[in-house]
Amino acid sequence: MTLTITSEVGDARTESPELTSAISAALHVGPNCLRDGDVGRVGLEIEAHGFDPADPMRRPSWAELGDVIADLPPLPGGSRVTVEPGGAVELSGPPIDGAPAAISAMAADRAVLAEAFARAGLGLILLGADPLRPAQRVNPGARYAAMETFFDASQTGAAGAAMMTSTASVQVNLDAGPREGWAERVRLAHALGPTMVAVAANSPLLAGRFSGWRSARQHVWSQLDSARCGPVLGVNGDDPASDWARYALKAPVMLLHTPQIVPVTQWVPFADWADGRVLLGDRRPTEADLDYHLTTLFPPVRPRRWLEIRYLDSVPDAIWPAVVFTLVTLLDDPSAAAVATEATKPVATAWDRAAQLGLGDRRLQQAALRCVTAAAERAPAELAESMQRLVRSVEQGRSPADDFADLAVEHGIAPAVAQLAQGEM
């Protein structure tokens, strides 16, 4: 394997039709955002922070990470390996039929990757936020440098830097399902957000300090502009395709790709560019510009023909299989989905409370217990241990953040990180 900077779309000025209005842009976005079909396939993406156990304050360099990844054998589960701006390493698995098979494939790839990093004297830590080091970019990609400039210009430089270089997640990708069920499915994916944020909250520290949040990762994302990172749902969520088109056109343009990547340092909603109210790069946008714009939008549930669920902290190997199985089951199993719909009603919009208190909030704990119990009742034998562990934690009102916070208090932050990086905890 080789370490590469992800390539981007080509020069949008010459390779794509020009958009003539915001209406034409909406017609390009809406009909293509979800794909009609069955449910059942699951794609997983897991990010882990790269650390040097001998010097936990040091970020492994781009070259060091590249050397380890270049020597990897073919991964048994078929995951692709990429490196995030701050040096977190991401495994992106292919879509696989059923959560148990997708979890097994990702676990096999995680084991190979962890062993390779251990041989190189490095470690990978599954936490939602870097608990020790200040934000710092090591990935030299032009896109990330341009994003830094955009965030600085929009007065969110610190949050933008932390988001890019200090956060890590478990991402779950699911089929959109049959067209007639899209609205209900997308509403439930959003309604589950706060409950699952509380279940998976695993970032109590950020940059060497207790943040006051069980999920500092979610708090960081909430500090960025809601037009780019907030939930997509409209007033009633009855038409997710139109909601997504409206969201995309209201969001400000972050970057131009012409073919150099250039940050946009003024607030320009894409609709204004499409309607010709503002010209960026002295021109109107093309369909390729719009497609690239969509890659700069980061809502908690993003439609990409499938549903990309982005709100889970990265959590330890002992429980991420249970967290993934729970989320997939609550969305793909009709009877479990009915339980989840009812259970999450009281907390369906409690994003900040979930991030700050995790399962320490009584209503979130009650919703979480109903949800994880419903999933546990449907779990196969190979996931029983992970599910039992998750159920116990929820019963006790403990998010993963509480376990890591206890370790940091007992051992100190840097020693706790070093031991995690060596696989000793």
Side-chain angles (χ1 to χ4, degrees):
M1 292 192 174
T2 57
L3 178 65
T4 59
I5 300 172
T6 304
S7 62
E8 308 292 354
V9 296
D11 187 339
R13 296 171 299 178
T14 59
E15 297 181 4
S16 180
E18 184 179 273
L19 295 168
T20 58
S21 67
I23 293 174
S24 67
L27 292 173
H28 180 72
V29 171
N32 298 314
C33 73
L34 294 173
R35 180 167 50 210
D36 188 22
D38 296 330
V39 302
R41 292 184 305 166
V42 179
L44 301 179
E45 302 179 25
I46 296 184
E47 298 170 340
H49 301 282
F51 274 94
D52 178 354
D55 183 4
M57 283 298 298
R58 185 181 76 85
R59 287 182 185 268
S61 69
W62 175 256
E64 287 177 276
L65 298 169
D67 288 343
V68 178
I69 293 170
D71 288 339
L72 284 173
L75 297 180
S79 292
R80 183 170 59 97
V81 185
T82 55
V83 177
E84 295 299 297
V89 180
E90 179 180 82
L91 288 173
S92 300
I96 296 175
D97 289 337
I103 290 166
S104 177
M106 178 57 69
D109 290 352
R110 278 269 314 141
V112 172
L113 186 70
E115 183 179 351
F117 270 74
R119 286 196 305 268
L122 301 175
L124 296 172
I125 297 182
L126 294 166
L127 284 168
D130 189 325
L132 188 60
R133 302 170 300 195
Q136 180 186 355
R137 181 168 59 89
V138 300
N139 187 323
R143 174 181 168 101
Y144 303 124
M147 287 174 68
E148 287 177 346
T149 301
F150 171 86
F151 287 128
D152 285 341
S154 61
Q155 308 301 309
T156 56
M163 178 274 286
M164 288 196 297
T165 71
S166 299
T167 63
S169 69
V170 172
Q171 185 171 296
V172 181
N173 302 312
L174 300 177
D175 290 315
R179 183 182 301 273
E180 61 271 18
W182 283 353
E184 184 178 2
R185 186 166 172 79
V186 171
R187 279 198 298 266
L188 180 55
H190 282 82
L192 277 166
T195 297
M196 293 305 299
V197 165
V199 167
N202 191 34
S203 44
L205 293 100
L206 179 66
R209 295 178 180 272
F210 279 92
S211 65
W213 297 73
R214 297 299 202 283
S215 177
R217 173 187 173 274
Q218 184 68 24
H219 179 50
V220 164
W221 282 93
S222 72
Q223 293 175 292
L224 300 171
D225 66 85
S226 61
R228 166 164 277 103
C229 300
V232 172
L233 283 185
V235 174
N236 53 31
D238 288 341
D239 186 355
S242 293
D243 286 344
W244 177 236
R246 188 178 302 111
Y247 183 99
L249 296 183
K250 287 177 64 178
V253 181
M254 174 185 272
L255 307 173
L256 296 182
H257 197 295
T258 61
Q260 296 80 19
I261 300 175
V262 180
V264 177
T265 56
Q266 67 219 76
W267 188 275
V268 180
F270 195 94
D272 288 358
W273 190 18
D275 278 334
R277 296 188 185 95
V278 178
L279 296 182
L280 297 176
D282 296 322
R283 61 180 179 83
R284 297 283 284 267
T286 66
E287 290 181 357
D289 284 309
L290 180 51
D291 291 339
Y292 189 69
H293 173 64
L294 298 180
T295 73
T296 70
L297 307 181
F298 311 112
V301 180
R302 182 164 68 173
R304 297 187 62 190
R305 298 185 298 281
W306 61 91
L307 294 183
E308 185 182 83
I309 300 174
R310 305 170 51 85
Y311 45 61
L312 301 173
D313 276 11
S314 189
V315 292
D317 283 315
I319 64 165
W320 72 253
V323 171
V324 166
F325 183 80
T326 296
L327 181 58
V328 174
T329 300
L330 297 176
L331 284 165
D332 281 5
D333 181 289
S335 60
V339 172
T341 298
E342 181 64 27
T344 59
K345 279 182 182 178
V347 291
T349 59
W351 294 93
D352 284 348
R353 193 160 75 247
Q356 186 166 27
L357 300 178
L359 294 175
D361 179 271
R362 180 179 57 83
R363 294 200 301 166
L364 284 163
Q365 184 199 11
Q366 290 173 344
L369 186 57
R370 291 185 63 188
C371 287
V372 300
T373 299
E377 291 169 351
R378 295 160 173 81
E382 63 267 26
L383 292 176
E385 183 177 351
S386 184
M387 284 302 312
Q388 289 168 5
R389 181 165 182 157
L390 181 62
V391 171
R392 285 196 302 270
S393 294
V394 174
E395 287 174 340
Q396 295 166 2
R398 289 179 65 85
S399 302
D402 298 306
D403 295 332
F404 181 70
D406 288 349
L407 289 176
V409 169
E410 180 180 356
H411 299 280
I413 302 172
V417 167
Q419 291 179 61
L420 281 176
Q422 292 172 317
E424 296 179 3
M425 291 182 175

